[in-house]
Amino acid sequence: MAVAEPGRGRPDDPRPTARQRRRGGRARRRRALTGRVRGMGAGTSHEPSKDAEQPSAEGESAADAPSAPARAGGSRRFPSVTRDTARPEGGGRAAPRDASAPARQWPLLSVLVAVGLGLLIVATEPFGQAFRIGLIIIGAALMAGAALRWTLPSVGMLAVRSRFTDISTYGVLGVTIVLLSLMAQPRPWLNVPFLEDAVHFTVR
């Protein structure tokens, strides 16, 4: 039968009990994990902070206290605040820093002005076949946006996603609008037999 050490477990014993040692170990591991998360969020090294290496004075209080990220609204593993977002490829300024804001965003403004002009022509109909001309201008503006996204290294806010995604989206929409405007009835400017057969097969 094991004999208990003299003085162990008494209230006046200064040495920690086994339960206190286990709680202190859990608290030290939790503080080390919190230090690594803080280091990754601040862009520093992944080494734990100095405070994580030092044991707490009281095991129960350190084990029961929540970590700093948890108090801030996040978890111990992930920070609660997003500190930075990745800019799309080619999403930088299209003009030097000292240029005015419209000059820095001239690719996007050019496409928007052309699209607005086409919508104005379609809405007001100042001449015959105005709706067709307006739609062609809108489609050409989108195709011009795809060309700018392809050729220029930086296009400002015209860059929404990756270069391939933007070029595909602008190009497909622009070509589709132009083709539909050329094929619009009555008196279409472009006749595509297989598309007409597909429309007749769909509506009959």
Side-chain angles (χ1 to χ4, degrees):
M1 182 176 63
V3 179
E5 298 181 11
R8 296 289 292 178
R10 295 187 305 174
D12 56 349
D13 186 9
R15 292 175 296 180
T17 62
R19 183 178 181 181
Q20 292 175 344
R21 287 197 300 272
R22 286 195 300 270
R23 289 187 177 181
R26 287 196 299 268
R28 285 193 294 273
R29 289 193 295 271
R30 184 178 299 175
R31 290 164 65 90
L33 179 61
T34 303
R36 294 192 189 97
V37 172
R38 289 178 180 175
M40 287 186 289
T44 57
S45 62
H46 298 279
E47 295 297 329
S49 60
K50 294 181 179 180
D51 297 338
E53 300 176 358
Q54 299 177 359
S56 60
E58 297 180 4
E60 292 85 358
S61 61
D64 297 336
S67 58
R71 289 194 300 267
S75 63
R76 297 191 304 269
R77 184 171 299 176
F78 302 102
S80 59
V81 178
T82 302
R83 301 187 181 277
D84 195 7
T85 55
R87 179 180 296 178
E89 178 187 0
R93 296 183 300 271
R97 183 186 297 271
D98 55 353
S100 61
R104 293 196 297 268
Q105 300 294 336
W106 70 265
L108 176 64
L109 292 179
S110 302
V111 174
L112 290 180
V113 168
V115 171
L117 178 62
L119 291 175
L120 182 63
I121 293 175
V122 172
T124 58
E125 294 187 3
F127 50 86
Q129 300 290 328
F131 77 96
R132 199 186 306 271
I133 299 297
L135 290 176
I136 291 176
I137 292 176
I138 294 174
L142 292 177
M143 290 190 291
L148 291 174
R149 189 71 173 93
W150 186 17
T151 56
L152 295 180
S154 299
V155 292
M157 296 179 65
L158 188 63
V160 181
R161 296 295 183 186
S162 65
R163 191 181 299 272
F164 174 78
T165 302
D166 291 342
I167 292 173
S168 302
T169 303
Y170 296 150
V172 169
L173 287 178
V175 170
T176 303
I177 291 175
V178 170
L179 288 178
L180 291 178
S181 62
L182 293 176
M183 296 171 55
Q185 299 290 339
R187 296 187 299 275
W189 292 2
L190 178 65
N191 291 317
V192 182
F194 70 90
L195 290 180
E196 293 181 357
D197 295 340
V199 172
H200 294 162
F201 176 78
T202 303
V203 299
R204 72 178 179 180

